[in-house]
Amino acid sequence: MNYISTKNKIRQIILICLILFGSISAVLSQEYFQQEVNFNINVSLNDKLHELNAFETVQYINNSPDTLHFLYFHLWPNAYSNNNTPLAKQLLRLNGKQRLFADPDLKGSIDSLNFNVNGNQVRWNLLPGQPDICQIFLNLPLKSGDSIIISTPFHVKIPKGVTSRLGHIGESYQISQWYPKPAVYDQSGWHAMSYLDQGEFYSEFGSFDVNITLPANYIVGATGNLQTQTESEMLEQL
């Protein structure tokens, strides 16, 4: 009797564990989602003033189960704007550069922003102490499964490339993290993270359609397949 009773108890425990494991797996699979963000950007480089002038349109698809009333956007070039940004504080702590962004050549910024959602102007503001992140307040809630179109012009002052990833040395440009883009929203909520020199960037995935206008003597290094036959021939010659 004891042997049979023990076997029954083991079977009951195994059955309970299988049910719990199945329930947890179902809950986890339901919780996971990934927002979709699709960009269309037109940008031109002024190599005399070391600046970018651009306009972007972003399709934001809410694949989360939540209704969103606002969005966070990264404005990461503003990390170079003054000595009180999270980037500047990190570099001051690590390197002790007391005049880090006091030098105008080392300063970078993003401005001339005018956010519209579905063609209508919206209210937005920079976060206190985090000028490289803004909060955009939606005029209408973005329900689960719905999408919106966000657009804005923007201007980027490119800093001298001695501080971090974004910058120029003379007329050689390393352009990274330069355009406004939504912060990640996942099952843990918003990740409104400031730009830092150490570590990588948590960003939403999406598609990009980018048109870049440059002076004729520049070559763009980027991923993808070159479509212009004359430029392909020029690269073969080089």
Side-chain angles (χ1 to χ4, degrees):
M1 289 294 294
N2 290 338
Y3 175 71
I4 294 174
S5 176
T6 301
K7 284 178 65 178
N8 289 336
K9 287 182 179 179
I10 292 174
R11 286 173 179 168
Q12 290 174 354
I13 292 172
I14 292 173
L15 180 61
I16 291 170
C17 289
L18 288 173
I19 292 172
L20 287 174
F21 180 77
S23 299
I24 292 171
S25 298
V27 169
L28 289 176
S29 65
Q30 290 170 0
E31 283 184 353
Y32 179 79
F33 61 86
Q34 184 173 299
Q35 307 290 63
E36 183 177 347
V37 181
N38 301 312
F39 293 86
N40 186 290
I41 306 175
N42 291 282
V43 58
S44 62
L45 169 69
N46 184 324
D47 63 345
K48 304 303 181 187
L49 299 176
H50 306 302
E51 64 183 23
L52 302 174
N53 291 287
F55 188 92
E56 79 170 13
T57 301
V58 183
Q59 180 192 35
Y60 187 94
I61 302 173
N62 183 14
N63 291 324
S64 80
D66 307 319
T67 296
L68 303 180
H69 297 273
F70 58 84
L71 305 176
Y72 287 109
F73 257 65
H74 296 299
L75 305 174
W76 277 329
N78 275 346
Y80 301 80
S81 60
N82 61 62
N83 279 348
N84 295 314
T85 67
L87 171 65
K89 291 177 180 179
Q90 180 193 46
L91 294 173
L92 287 168
R93 185 174 66 252
L94 295 175
N95 304 325
K97 295 180 179 178
Q98 296 301 319
R99 295 178 57 80
L100 181 65
F101 295 129
D103 183 345
D105 288 338
L106 298 181
K107 279 189 175 183
S109 62
I110 183 169
D111 55 32
S112 303
L113 296 154
N114 183 24
F115 288 103
N116 282 257
V117 174
N118 293 336
N120 298 309
Q121 197 163 19
V122 290
R123 183 169 59 91
W124 65 279
N125 58 257
L126 301 177
L127 298 190
Q130 292 178 283
D132 55 350
I133 301 173
C134 73
Q135 186 176 18
I136 299 173
F137 300 92
L138 302 178
N139 295 333
L140 296 173
L142 178 58
K143 297 179 180 178
S144 176
D146 288 349
S147 67
I148 54 175
I149 301 295
I150 307 154
S151 63
T152 184
F154 63 99
H155 162 265
V156 176
K157 181 184 180 298
I158 305 169
K160 190 174 180 180
V162 296
T163 303
S164 189
R165 299 168 178 85
L166 172 68
H168 74 94
I169 301 296
E171 294 182 346
S172 174
Y173 293 88
Q174 295 74 48
I175 306 299
S176 65
Q177 310 301 337
W178 55 279
Y179 54 93
K181 61 181 177 180
V184 172
Y185 183 80
D186 62 17
Q187 56 266 45
S188 299
W190 286 104
H191 295 266
M193 301 184 298
S194 282
Y195 181 107
L196 295 175
D197 188 51
Q198 295 181 348
E200 288 305 322
F201 299 92
Y202 189 30
S203 300
E204 300 284 13
F205 284 94
S207 64
F208 291 81
D209 185 356
V210 183
N211 295 293
I212 304 171
T213 301
L214 300 170
N217 59 317
Y218 281 84
I219 296 175
V220 177
T223 58
N225 298 314
L226 187 59
Q227 300 295 309
T228 306
Q229 183 63 32
T230 54
E231 292 189 5
S232 295
E233 292 170 358
M234 180 267 293
L235 286 179
E236 288 294 329
Q237 293 173 0
L238 289 176

